[in-house]
Structures are given as C-alpha cells and as structure tokens.
Amino acid sequence: MVEMSQPTFEDRCIVSCGMLQPEMSHLMDTGFLNPRRMLFTPPGLHAVPDQLEEHLTKRLDQARESCPDHKIIVAYGKDCYTSTDEPLKRVDSILESYGRGIVRVQGAYGYDMLAGPEDRERISGGRAKKVLWFTLGWLRSWRAVYQRYFGWDEADANANFPGFYDRIVVLDSLGLGDAYMAEHANEILELFDWTGLEVTFEPITLERFKGLLLDSLAAGDADTTH
C-alpha cells in the first residue's frame, strides 16, 4: 500500500494580509504551513486602497525573489480592495496585471476565509449582516483602521456602529478568548465604549482556512500542467 504524503508548501511563497498573521503564524508553528517564504502586508490597508496596492506589489516583488508566479499564494479577500476612483478594480485585478499564475486564497474577506457564510449565519442566529466580524488581527488593529486610516472620532463611531450592527464577534480560532478577556479587559472595554457594541468571542476551528490554503496549493500545481 502506498502511503499518501502530506501536501507541502515548501516550494511556495505566501503573501498575506497582516490581519491574518495570528492564524498564519499558528499554522506555521504547528507544521501545517512550511512555505519557502512568508510575507505580510501591514494590517488594515483595505481602508487606504492606494497603500494596499503599493504594499501588496512590494511583497509580491519580494516573493518573486524566491518563487515563480505560479508558486505564489496570496491570502487576501477578493473584496478587500475597493477604490472610489476605480470601482471595478479588485485584488484579482491587481494580481492579474502583476503576473500570470499567482493564486489567491478564495474568500470575500479575511474573516470569510475563517468562517464561511453558513457558519456566520449560524453563529449570528441568522443576522450575519448585523454582526461586525473581527479576526484576532482585527482585534489588535482596530484603532489603526478606524482611527488612523479612516480618521474617525467618537462622533463618527457613534454614527457608523450602533444601529448598523448588533455586536462584534471575534472569530477565535486559537482559543484565546478567555485569556484575552482576562488580560486585556481594559482594551475590550475601550472597544465597547468606542463602538457601542458588545464584544463576544466565538470559538472556531481552522479547518475551513486550511482547506482553502490546500485548494490554493492544488490550483498552483494545476497551472504548471497547462
């Protein structure tokens, strides 16, 4: 009997949004990911499209130093880039104009890679659109997104969160919820005060994310056969 070998990322370069760094780092620490090179863009750049494109292409240039295009995997949601100047332009547009064969992990946003639409509907009790979905990276970087990049103050927050959302749900794939609530209680309180939204942690697994990464690995291999 031939033993099936575990798929390996050792010949891949991965360029990821910094919002997914906690999950990516965990997958490397536990041996699921073993990329030739792992590169992160700063978290929260979807708020500043010009900077997102600049940092993404810079990381792609660095990835090309170690991997050909069809061996590069990009972990960015397809809707993470939206520009008022170019409303039809998306992350895929940037990748297609940059080079042939680069594979993007499938998902609308980073949180969608961790919990799909059906999971979010289940978690939210059928009110997924009324939840502000956070990853662990979002929890660490929300000030940069809203206060630095968007430039919102408390009045802006009051106009944009209560009424539009019921609560914030942190998709907790690393089991950090209880410890984070205990060790960073003041930060959670600050987020609640600023948004007016209750913050809850939802334990999830990384199985969906791992599956999407394996799909990306297979897609890159398939491209070499054409």
Side-chain angles (χ1 to χ4, degrees):
M1 182 176 175
V2 178
E3 185 176 337
M4 296 297 289
S5 61
Q6 174 72 25
T8 175
F9 292 81
E10 64 184 2
D11 63 346
R12 295 302 198 273
C13 293
I14 300 176
V15 176
S16 173
C17 171
M19 287 295 193
L20 292 169
Q21 185 164 1
E23 292 81 9
M24 286 289 194
S25 296
H26 175 78
L27 291 177
M28 286 192 290
D29 291 343
T30 53
F32 176 80
L33 286 179
N34 58 337
R36 180 174 295 170
R37 197 164 185 189
M38 172 67 81
L39 298 156
F40 293 100
T41 59
L45 293 181
H46 64 280
V48 277
D50 290 346
Q51 288 190 37
L52 187 156
E53 184 169 7
E54 176 187 341
H55 281 278
L56 178 55
T57 53
K58 185 183 297 183
R59 292 292 181 264
L60 289 170
D61 284 338
Q62 292 173 314
R64 268 184 173 169
E65 294 171 2
S66 304
C67 296
D69 286 3
H70 65 274
K71 299 289 188 181
I72 296 175
I73 295 173
V74 173
Y76 253 96
K78 69 181 178 68
D79 294 328
C80 288
Y81 179 99
T82 53
S83 170
T84 52
D85 297 329
E86 300 177 86
L88 298 180
K89 190 172 183 178
R90 292 292 185 269
V91 171
D92 287 335
S93 311
I94 297 173
L95 299 182
E96 287 165 9
S97 64
Y98 185 84
R100 182 186 178 281
I102 299 172
V103 177
R104 182 180 59 77
V105 180
Q106 294 302 296
Y109 298 98
Y111 64 76
D112 183 48
M113 296 177 192
L114 301 180
E118 291 182 2
D119 288 328
R120 298 199 303 275
E121 285 295 326
R122 174 183 55 78
I123 292 167
S124 65
R127 293 174 64 83
K129 292 182 178 178
K130 298 293 287 182
V131 168
L132 186 57
W133 299 97
F134 269 27
T135 64
L136 295 169
W138 261 96
L139 188 61
R140 297 171 183 175
S141 305
W142 67 269
R143 294 182 196 82
V145 175
Y146 294 119
Q147 296 177 356
R148 188 193 315 162
Y149 292 146
F150 282 145
W152 288 0
D153 57 19
E154 288 187 5
D156 294 313
N158 189 56
N160 282 280
F161 293 118
F164 291 94
Y165 298 104
D166 295 335
R167 58 189 170 120
I168 292 171
V169 172
V170 183
L171 296 169
D172 181 16
S173 58
L174 305 185
L176 301 179
D178 290 343
Y180 201 96
M181 293 287 273
E183 296 168 13
H184 303 277
N186 288 338
E187 292 180 23
I188 297 294
L189 185 60
E190 180 189 352
L191 177 59
F192 168 74
D193 286 344
W194 201 74
T195 62
L197 301 174
E198 177 191 6
V199 182
T200 61
F201 286 76
E202 179 67 27
I204 64 167
T205 72
L206 282 172
E207 291 310 303
R208 172 176 167 81
F209 193 33
K210 289 162 71 174
L212 292 173
L213 286 164
L214 289 173
D215 290 344
S216 301
L217 183 66
D221 288 336
D223 187 70
T224 64
T225 64
H226 298 297

